[in-house]
Amino acid sequence: MRTRRCVVTAVTLSLLLFLSSLWLPQETVQSCEQSWRPCLSVFTPNREVVRAAVTDDALGGSDIIRECAGQQFQVSRLLLHLSSALGPASDVLLEPYLLCWEELIKFMESLGPLVGFFTHKVEEKITLIRQLALEESTTGDAQRVAPPPHRSHAYRSVRSMLEAELQRGVVSFDSQTPSGSRTLLRLHRSLLWLQLLLEKLATEREERSMGELCRDAYLEVLAPHHPWLVQRAAELVFHAMPDRKVFLQLVCVRTQEEAEPVIHVIVAAIQEIHRRTQTELEIRNMLDLP
C-alpha cells in the first residue's frame, strides 16, 4: 500500500512538471540565456525589520512599507519598480516593468515549490522581450548607422513596442507569433490575476485559504485562456498553497489588520500599470491576440 502511494505521488509530480510547460503558452527565443535565476525565498523566523530604501514619492507618501531581512521578495523593491515604470504621457517603460515581474516571480516562488514550477514560463516571456530589444540594439551597432525613426527605441516602452511591431508587420491577429506584443499580453493577463489575488487577500474573510483565493482569481482571469489540462494542473497547485500566514510574513506584518494597508498600496500601484497597459492594447485591438 505504501509503495502504491509513493508511485501515485511520483506520477502526480511528473504530471505537474509536464503540464507546467503548457502554462501561459508562448514561444521562446532558444538562443538567449536567462539574465537571472530567482531562488526560493527563505523567511528567517527571527526577522529584522528595517525601513525600506524607497522614497515617499515612490510609495505615494506611505510609511507603512517595511523590508524583511532574510527573504528574496521585498514589497519595497516591487513598489520602486512599479513607480519607475510609470513613463510620461501615461506610457509604461518596459525595463522597469520587467523588473516588476522579476520581483513578482520571487513572490510566487515564495508560496511553495509547486507554484514555482510554473514561473519559468513567465521568465521566458521576460527573456523574449529583452532578447528582442537586444537584437534591435545589436543590429543598429552592426550597421554603424542610426536606425530608422520607427525603429528608434522600439522596446523602450509599451507604447513604442506595440506601435513599432505593428508597423513592421510582426504582429499577427490570426496566428501565434513570438512578438513582444503577444508576449506582453500574456504578462498583462497574469498581472491582473495577481492584482485580484491581492485584493481578495485584503477583503476576504480570514477563514478562506490562500488556495481558494488563488483559484477564484484564476477562474476569473486566466482560466478562459488556458486549455483544460492546464486548468486541472492549476487546481492541484491551489490545493498545495500554504496558509495565509505565509503571505503575512512575505509583506513583513503579523496580522491581517496590518497587512490590509500594505496590500492597498501594492494594488494601487499595480492597477495603474495595468490600466495604462490595457489602454495601449485596447486602442490597437490587441486584447485578443492568439
Side-chain angles (χ1 to χ4, degrees), residues 57 131 135 245 263 266:
D57 289 340
Q131 181 68 12
E135 288 175 356
K245 64 182 180 182
I263 295 174
I266 303 172

Side-chain angles (χ1 to χ4, degrees), residues 2-39:
R2 182 178 180 181
T3 301
R4 179 178 298 177
R5 286 199 299 268
C6 291
V7 171
V8 171
T9 301
V11 170
T12 301
L13 290 176
S14 298
L15 177 61
L16 280 172
L17 282 169
F18 169 72
L19 291 178
S20 68
S21 65
L22 301 176
W23 183 263
L24 297 175
Q26 174 73 37
E27 296 85 352
T28 62
V29 178
Q30 299 296 332
S31 59
C32 62
E33 296 180 352
Q34 296 287 350
S35 59
W36 66 287
R37 179 66 61 177
C39 301

Side-chain angles (χ1 to χ4, degrees), residues 150-165:
H150 71 280
R151 291 182 60 88
S152 179
H153 305 297
Y155 293 91
R156 180 177 181 273
S157 72
V158 166
R159 184 179 299 155
S160 62
M161 179 182 70
L162 299 180
E163 196 61 35
E165 290 195 338

